Structures are given as C-alpha cells and as structure tokens.
Amino acid sequence: MKSIKILIFSAVLSLISQQNALACLSCGCGGSGSAADLGAIGGAASLFSGGNKWLIQSGGSFRQITGSFNETGRWNPPPADSLLQSYTGVLGVMYFPTVNASIGLQLPVQGNHLSNASWGSFGSINPTDSGASFGGGIGDIQVQGSYKFLELEQFALAGWSSLTLPTGAINAESPTYTTGGGIPGISGGLLALYKPMPSGSFEGEPSWWDTLNGEVFLNLGYAQALGTPPVQAGPFFQGQSLLWQLQGNLQFLPGWIAGVGLNGQIGAWTAGQGRSQLASRVKVVPSVQYEFSLTQGIRLAVGVDLPVLGANSLTDTSVYAVYYQFFQ
C-alpha cells in the first residue's frame, strides 16, 4: 500500500568526521546522517543539520507486490500469472532555518503496472482477467516539519510532523491510475538518536574497533486520516496507525556506510460506520550509502516485507535509490 510508502525507504546516515560527530551532532552538513532518507516516518529525514541550509533529495523506487495478509494474519501469494508493480519518483526539498528546525516538501510521481490482478479490499489482491495495463500520475504531496529540542554529545531528541495533501488520483474504473489516498492526513512523532563512543584500546595505535563510526535511532509516530476516503477500501488509504522505525548504520570504509532497519505499522482500515479492520506489517531494509563529500551522496536499499506479524496488508519487495545534496 502506498499508505505505508512513508515506510518503504529506510533511514541511513551521512558520513561526518568522527571527532565532530562525537562533539556535536549538528556539526557538518548531515548531522545525524539521515540526509539520504526520503522515507523516514512522516518524512522526518535530516533532522540534524547546520542552520541556513537547503537539502535537495531525489529518489526512485521499484515495488513488486509479493502477496497479502488476510484478517486472521495468514499470508497468501498473489494469483498465478499475475503482476502488481509500482514505480515511484520523489523530489524532496528541505530548508533548515536553524540547527534545530526544518521544513520540507516531498513531490511524488507514481506509475503502476497491473496484469491479471488489481488492488482488492482491505489490503488484499483482486484476481482479474484484464491482462496487462499501465497508468500513473502525481501522488499525494507531503509537507513536513521538525524541531530538535534536546542535543547532547551522543544523544538527541526531535519531534516531527507531516501533512499529506490529496493530490493523487483515485480511479476505481482504471486502477492503474490510482496514485493517492483521496483525503488529507496528518502524522507526528518523536525521533531519538544515539551515537555510541568508540571503544577499544586507549594505548598505542588505535585498533580497527576504535575507528568504527555509527549510529542507532528509534522513530515512533502516529498517523490520522482527516475524514473518510471516497473509496473506503482504496489501496493507498491509511487510517489511524501507529508507526515505528528502528535503524542502525555503520561506516565500514571511508565514504561507505552500511545500514539495516526494521519498519512497522499497526493501524486500521475504515470498514463502515463505526467499524474498522486491523492492518499491520513489518519490513526489513538493508542499505548501503556512498558519500562523495560531506554535502552529497547516494544510497541504495532493498526492502522486504516479512510474511509474519501482518493483517489486512499487501506485502512487497522494493528497490530504492536516493541522491542528496546540501546547499548553503
């Protein structure tokens, strides 16, 4: 579901010098190292940066639906000889007026390829005999903001918020042209970042362990739709949802960073007056990032939904690529 697209890109870190990172999380351009993250919960990417800076992010993703959970949590593969794919491009623009605040905009464009299957009710797959069809258009735009209210040498806390605008289309007759949820939505949450101090020998030459540079962060959020969608069981609609993201990143060579994350959702579909259907899923996202410099880099990632802990949700395997650059 595109309703959980805010989860399909995992967070990664931007390389900064070890001394600066340990002395001040806002030093350098990337700060926390989430500069290449277009998909953190609520778009809460790059919460930590220098003031009076712009961040431009451009990303693309390929998504292949691999199956769906039913209401009892049983996972089922897609129908035989069927295909459900989506291709998404996102342009993100973010401005940091101070070292503690950011405001940004994400502009998505999506294309869909369906063959002998379509979006079903409550995160299911609907078999068809219509053959291959293609379509797409502008997705739902997101306006984002964040504020960092606590920063220590190794730990920081920031709050974030996001407003989703219903700029994407809903087309029940031609499902390939459905690219949005149909109504606005809001979300908000809290991100905690921890950068451990290197440990190891303090005598003589430092060991390889002393040179490791990494971070761990936990992102918790809540999303709420502002109304009832025109098509209640539309594939890209997200109602009330608790969202979480646990991410670890580690520099293993100069300029190279490996990461692995777990993203999850526990929410509900609107199922009529006063009724709802549970929706949940968990995704694992390994990634690798290369830093051309302190101000620009590229990230590649693969996201795989686990066939466990799910209900009323589509599952997918996705591939992502993101390029970012800071400007003064």
Side-chain angles (χ1 to χ4, degrees):
M1 293 178 294
K2 187 180 175 183
S3 63
I4 322 173
K5 68 181 180 181
I6 57 178
L7 302 178
I8 65 175
F9 298 115
S10 69
V12 291
L13 77 105
S14 297
L15 176 63
I16 51 179
S17 66
Q18 295 175 34
Q19 294 78 10
N20 284 347
L22 295 174
C24 173
L25 295 180
S26 290
C27 295
C29 292
S32 77
S34 59
D37 180 12
L38 271 167
I41 297 173
S46 299
L47 296 178
F48 310 94
S49 181
N52 192 28
K53 283 187 171 64
W54 289 88
L55 171 63
I56 305 298
Q57 303 157 300
S58 57
S61 70
F62 166 79
R63 180 188 184 208
Q64 171 74 56
I65 300 300
T66 57
S68 63
F69 291 106
N70 63 17
E71 65 277 3
T72 65
R74 179 180 177 181
W75 183 84
N76 299 295
D81 301 322
S82 68
L83 189 68
L84 294 93
Q85 295 178 342
S86 294
Y87 317 89
T88 304
V90 182
L91 175 64
V93 180
M94 186 171 288
Y95 176 64
F96 300 87
T98 71
V99 296
N100 296 320
S102 72
I103 183 170
L105 186 70
Q106 287 192 16
L107 308 171
V109 176
Q110 179 173 318
N112 300 308
H113 175 201
L114 307 181
S115 178
N116 296 322
S118 184
W119 325 110
S121 299
F122 306 117
S124 64
I125 299 175
N126 181 31
T128 68
D129 57 2
S130 58
S133 59
F134 300 86
I138 297 175
D140 288 344
I141 293 174
Q142 284 190 357
V143 181
Q144 309 145 5
S146 68
Y147 183 77
K148 177 181 59 181
F149 55 87
L150 174 65
E151 180 176 346
L152 307 174
E153 286 189 353
Q154 299 171 248
F155 180 78
L157 285 174
W160 57 266
S161 62
S162 178
L163 171 65
T164 300
L165 305 176
T167 52
I170 291 183
N171 193 322
E173 295 182 357
S174 300
T176 54
Y177 289 92
T178 296
T179 59
I183 57 172
I186 58 173
S187 59
L190 182 69
L191 183 147
L193 169 75
Y194 176 67
K195 295 181 76 71
M197 293 281 286
S199 61
S201 173
F202 293 93
E203 298 180 1
E205 292 295 324
S207 67
W208 67 271
W209 180 256
D210 292 310
T211 63
L212 292 181
N213 184 27
E215 71 176 8
V216 177
F217 68 81
L218 176 64
N219 199 351
L220 300 175
Y222 174 79
Q224 172 67 63
L226 301 178
T228 302
V231 180
Q232 286 191 346
F236 305 143
F237 169 67
Q238 179 179 356
Q240 294 180 336
S241 294
L242 296 175
L243 311 169
W244 60 270
Q245 179 180 34
L246 179 63
Q247 179 77 26
N249 303 299
L250 182 66
Q251 175 188 337
F252 61 94
L253 287 173
W256 289 94
I257 298 160
V260 63
L262 284 175
N263 304 333
Q265 177 215 21
I266 302 176
W269 293 89
T270 301
Q273 187 66 32
R275 297 178 57 238
S276 62
Q277 289 276 7
L278 176 68
S280 61
R281 70 174 185 172
V282 178
K283 181 186 291 291
V284 60
V285 189
S287 63
V288 63
Q289 179 173 330
Y290 179 69
E291 302 280 330
F292 301 110
S293 68
L294 289 176
T295 60
Q296 61 179 324
I298 189 170
R299 168 183 174 263
L300 301 175
V302 176
V304 179
D305 282 318
L306 303 179
V308 295
L309 303 176
N312 292 304
S313 296
L314 296 172
T315 60
D316 65 68
T317 296
S318 301
V319 180
Y320 320 104
V322 179
Y323 171 81
Y324 73 91
Q325 184 167 2
F326 283 92
F327 298 92
Q328 185 69 43

